Amino acid sequence: MIITVQIFLLMMVLAGVGIILFTRNIVHAAYALCLTLLGIAGVYVLVMSELLAVVQIMLYAGGVVILLAFGVMMTNRLRGEKVLSGSNNKWIGRIISVGVFAGLCYLISISPFQTTSVEKNEDQIAQIGVSFLTDHIVAFELIAFVLLVALVGAAYLAKNAADE
Amino acid sequence: MISFAFYLAFLLIFVVFAVYAERKTAAFIQNRLGPMEVGPKGILQTVADLLKMLQKEDIRASAVDIIPYLLAPFIVFAAVFTGFAVLPVNADLSGSTITSGVFFLLAIVSLDVLGILMAGWASNNKYSLYGAMRSVAQIISYEVPLGLSVLCVIIISGTLDLHQMSVLQSGGILSWYIISHPVLIIPFFIFFISGLAESNRTPFDLPESESELIGGYHTEYSGFRWGIFMLSEYGMMLLLSILASILFFGGWNSPMEKIANGPIWSTFWLLSKSLLLIFVQMWVRWTLPRLRVDQLMSLSWKYLTPISIVMLFVCALWKLWLIG
């Protein structure tokens, strides 16, 4: 059962990545990105970190992709022509991406990741909440502050656009 | 798994009768008779409509973006229906027992926006795109008060699991959250209003307003694919009504403490509470006119969101001082 799910998730992620690589239509690429992110959320469920999976669905698959799609569609409407992504500097791009891939592989191979499976933890959410408000309180408050600044900034920009 | 299969069958039967109920409710509110010809009192009218719809030719405009166009209805339905996975049916059938229950539900249901956006975009039609844009703006805006009002209940109950939440409310009508914790009355109304907006129902049906947009994001769809969009809209109504009855009205608990508590009775209680809320949704639909776009946005951002943030604070104080 679990191997079937693993194969399905692998196909989902690879199909998404493949579409992003080879399509020239940006909207299709945005949806393929969503497919990949959902597949990764499935992988999180398989390794028993369920909350992380839900956060992945909510923030990445939901939020980011919608913003991306919005941006793409708005620019398309303004120019009145199809947005097709071209490909320039092919060889430099290939060299950089192979370099980044090799670097990441090296870093992952030397990192001390835990490779044994963990038991399902019932109190995961409570533990994360408690550690947010005790050990990581500064980071938590800083994120809240940054988000507030972003919200005020967005409201200000929208107001200016409406006045003109 | 069993609860999922139960809800799939129930949803399909529910849609047939909900469309009939909707038309009859509309007719009585407008002092008409409504469907009367097919079957006794017209009760088989929707079945006839369904048969007609399934036989329709599958019409596609030639300039649609074909793959997203064909996929979109199924993405919308899959996103809405996945939400049913965590709903309990009765005391013995609990649905998926993931610990992040209601959080998962809200996250996965918000993905139906992707399908709507895909439908509007791929149709290659300005009315469809207008409808999709309105729908996305509306659903994303109203998710904020919806999530905050659910958070009020989570503060009081201390769990995200919907089955656990129902268990905590057992013991007659006085233990239901909306009665035992009156501070939740305002969050319930916010939840209900945001739920109407989330399922694109009147007075928030701007995405599909027939008089302006000819049906919005599903203008270019016909036959079976259009039917899937309707199925997901009614599915969303049912999902949010069941969620409301679990969060505020005791879920599958009977109103009397010792009476009518068996598995069939508790299923009956859960579904009858939800169907009552759906009747209220239909009643609202035929009573209130549609909002303008700016009114829609100011209702969400200037009224519902600040009120729900204040209610979140009040609920936290209530939990701290009165429950401990």
Side-chain angles (χ1 to χ4, degrees):
Chain A
M1 183 65 193
I2 205 111
I3 188 83
T4 324
V5 178
Q6 281 168 340
I7 292 171
F8 182 75
L9 290 175
L10 184 71
M11 276 163 53
M12 215 166 135
V13 173
L14 288 182
V17 170
I19 296 172
I20 295 172
L21 274 180
F22 294 111
T23 186
R24 295 190 63 214
N25 186 325
I26 297 182
V27 180
H28 290 183
Y31 284 121
L33 179 63
C34 180
L35 187 70
T36 311
L37 294 171
L38 283 177
I40 294 171
V43 175
Y44 289 150
V45 172
L46 287 188
V47 296
M48 297 291 174
S49 51
E50 185 190 296
L51 183 70
L52 198 59
V54 179
V55 170
Q56 167 95 4
I57 294 173
M58 193 140 206
L59 295 185
Y60 286 85
V64 174
V65 173
I66 285 166
L67 288 181
L68 192 66
F70 254 100
V72 169
M73 286 176 184
M74 291 303 176
T75 45
N76 188 9
R77 284 292 120 180
L78 289 178
R79 288 195 210 132
E81 61 194 26
K82 278 198 169 180
V83 180
L84 292 176
S85 53
S87 47
N88 303 318
N89 299 333
K90 283 186 185 173
W91 277 107
I92 301 174
R94 279 169 197 163
I95 291 167
I96 291 175
S97 51
V98 167
V100 169
F101 182 70
L104 280 178
C105 284
Y106 174 69
L107 282 178
I108 290 170
S109 67
I110 61 165
S111 304
F113 283 127
Q114 185 184 2
T115 49
T116 52
S117 61
V118 281
E119 292 301 310
K120 186 175 178 182
N121 189 350
E122 292 295 335
D123 272 347
Q124 207 178 35
I125 297 168
Q127 282 174 4
I128 290 174
V130 168
S131 66
F132 261 142
L133 291 176
T134 51
D135 297 343
H136 305 288
I137 182 76
V138 178
F140 185 67
E141 291 293 329
L142 269 180
I143 291 168
F145 184 69
V146 170
L147 286 177
L148 183 69
V149 170
L151 194 66
V152 173
Y156 181 73
L157 287 178
K159 180 176 171 291
N160 269 6
D163 284 345
E164 277 161 15
Chain B
M1 253 344 254
I2 301 170
S3 70
F4 210 49
F6 169 79
Y7 276 123
L8 182 59
F10 180 74
L11 178 62
L12 296 176
I13 298 166
F14 161 78
V15 170
V16 174
F17 289 99
V19 174
Y20 173 74
E22 176 107 56
R23 296 167 73 175
K24 275 292 188 192
T25 315
F28 288 129
I29 286 176
Q30 296 168 342
N31 204 8
R32 303 182 274 121
L33 282 176
M36 288 296 280
E37 294 296 324
V38 192
K41 295 276 176 192
I43 195 157
L44 295 176
Q45 182 65 50
T46 327
V47 180
D49 287 347
L50 194 70
L51 288 176
K52 185 203 102 182
M53 193 185 75
L54 291 179
Q55 295 172 45
K56 265 189 167 179
E57 186 190 350
D58 183 24
I59 303 169
R60 298 173 205 163
S62 55
V64 296
D65 194 349
I66 193 71
I67 295 170
Y69 175 83
L70 296 182
L71 275 179
F74 303 103
I75 289 179
V76 176
F77 181 70
V80 171
F81 193 67
T82 314
F84 282 89
V86 292
L87 294 180
V89 181
N90 56 38
D92 305 322
L93 269 182
S94 67
S96 174
T97 53
I98 56 176
T99 46
S100 54
V102 67
F103 184 34
F104 169 77
L105 192 152
L106 291 179
I108 200 87
V109 163
S110 70
L111 285 184
D112 76 334
V113 167
L114 280 175
I116 289 174
L117 197 58
M118 199 185 249
W121 170 258
S123 295
N124 204 357
N125 172 335
K126 62 184 167 195
Y127 297 112
S128 297
L129 193 59
Y130 266 129
M133 284 297 173
R134 282 184 180 186
S135 178
V136 173
Q138 168 180 328
I139 291 180
I140 291 178
S141 306
Y142 279 86
E143 234 155 52
V144 178
L146 187 83
L148 288 172
S149 57
V150 171
L151 213 52
C152 292
V153 184
I154 293 170
I155 284 181
I156 303 254
S157 70
T159 176
L160 287 164
D161 190 340
L162 289 166
H163 187 69
Q164 191 62 36
M165 234 178 243
S166 315
V167 172
L168 288 173
Q169 297 178 69
S170 59
I173 193 167
L174 293 178
S175 311
W176 296 359
Y177 277 149
I178 200 156
I179 297 187
S180 61
H181 302 290
V183 72
L184 287 176
I185 291 174
I186 297 174
F188 168 67
F189 281 104
I190 293 173
F191 181 89
F192 187 75
I193 295 170
S194 317
L196 284 179
E198 286 281 303
S199 44
N200 291 334
R201 296 279 300 174
T202 325
F204 306 105
D205 69 335
L206 298 106
E208 40 194 83
S209 47
E210 291 93 350
S211 47
E212 307 163 33
L213 294 180
I214 333 165
Y217 56 86
H218 48 62
T219 303
E220 294 289 348
Y221 287 87
S222 71
F224 185 65
R225 291 200 170 76
W226 179 84
I228 298 281
F229 276 121
M230 280 293 111
L231 186 64
S232 1
E233 183 182 322
Y234 278 87
M236 192 75 176
M237 280 167 69
L238 184 67
L239 180 68
L240 288 167
S241 302
I242 294 178
L243 191 58
S245 49
I246 292 171
L247 293 176
F248 300 98
F249 297 102
W252 35 256
N253 288 299
S254 145
M256 289 79 72
E257 193 179 351
K258 303 276 186 217
I259 309 165
N261 270 324
I264 295 176
W265 269 114
S266 45
T267 314
F268 167 77
W269 289 121
L270 178 68
L271 295 180
S272 54
K273 285 168 195 170
S274 319
L275 293 180
L276 195 67
L277 283 171
I278 283 175
F279 171 70
V280 179
Q281 289 186 342
M282 290 174 180
W283 178 14
V284 167
R285 172 169 183 178
W286 297 103
T287 310
L288 297 176
R290 187 185 301 137
L291 270 72
R292 279 201 321 263
V293 179
D294 59 318
Q295 291 170 333
L296 179 90
M297 285 296 152
S298 65
L299 178 67
S300 169
W301 291 109
K302 293 184 189 164
Y303 298 95
L304 294 183
T305 306
I307 295 172
S308 52
I309 290 174
V310 171
M311 286 318 295
L312 191 65
F313 184 64
V314 173
C315 285
L317 290 181
W318 176 276
K319 169 90 174 178
L320 202 62
W321 289 339
L322 290 175
I323 306 175

